Amino acid sequence: MYKIPRRTILNKLKNYHFKEPGLPPASTVEEENSFSECIQHMSDFGFPLDEFYLRVIVRSYLNLIGRQVKIFKRNLPGHEWLLGFMKRHPELSVRFAANIKRTRAAINEQTLRDFVRNLGEIVKDVPQRIFGTLMNQI
């Protein structure tokens, strides 16, 4: 009735087709979780990342560890990868950054030192290669 070959049905019944459809992910679950945590920490400290910078950070990380992903042009993840990443990490969201007043944006040396010290404490559990890549981009 549906013109499905008999062999296809038998293979499905014998569970020969156990792989998920589509391409395998470009990074491991641990790497993606580290990216997600890093994005959240950066946002908590007032440095939200937009979509482009997230893609650049992932490219820098891939280049740093020497991994070439063939489906990425020049090892830069595309918009489709970003959509999948956001779907796999629903705790992240895309928002527009609001401007802040000059008095709130005013910063002195001690505030900056405290920020760097606090950031070091928070990201001590993030793998060094990801944090180092992120800090090189800033």
Side-chain angles (χ1 to χ4, degrees):
M1 179 174 158
Y2 295 107
K3 300 189 187 223
I4 299 172
R6 177 177 159 75
R7 192 76 230 164
T8 301
I9 295 172
L10 289 174
N11 287 340
K12 190 67 174 173
L13 289 174
K14 292 182 179 182
N15 205 18
Y16 288 156
H17 301 287
F18 54 88
K19 287 185 179 178
E20 291 291 323
L23 295 171
S27 55
T28 65
V29 174
E30 293 82 17
E31 289 170 336
E32 283 200 359
N33 288 338
S34 293
F35 289 137
S36 175
E37 288 176 22
C38 193
I39 292 166
Q40 289 175 355
H41 290 307
M42 291 293 291
S43 180
D44 290 343
F45 282 113
F47 297 101
L49 296 175
D50 65 1
E51 297 175 359
F52 176 72
Y53 285 115
L54 172 60
R55 293 170 47 217
V56 169
I57 288 170
V58 172
R59 179 185 65 184
S60 297
Y61 172 72
L62 291 172
N63 290 341
L64 184 69
I65 64 172
R67 186 185 316 158
Q68 291 289 78
V69 181
K70 293 180 181 180
I71 60 171
F72 296 162
K73 289 183 181 177
R74 295 186 305 274
N75 232 16
L76 180 69
H79 186 69
E80 294 297 320
W81 176 87
L82 184 67
L83 293 176
F85 179 81
M86 295 299 286
K87 187 183 278 188
R88 290 186 296 273
H89 297 278
E91 68 274 8
L92 301 176
S93 65
V94 178
R95 297 183 186 155
F96 290 105
N99 292 332
I100 59 174
K101 296 180 181 177
R102 281 188 194 268
T103 56
R104 188 169 171 217
I107 189 168
N108 59 27
E109 182 179 348
Q110 185 59 40
T111 305
L112 191 57
R113 289 184 188 278
D114 291 341
F115 167 76
V116 171
R117 184 175 33 80
N118 289 336
L119 184 62
E121 286 294 317
I122 286 177
V123 297
K124 66 183 176 187
D125 297 329
V126 176
Q128 184 62 35
R129 59 182 184 252
I130 293 175
F131 180 66
T133 302
L134 179 63
M135 293 310 288
N136 288 335
Q137 295 295 321
I138 295 176

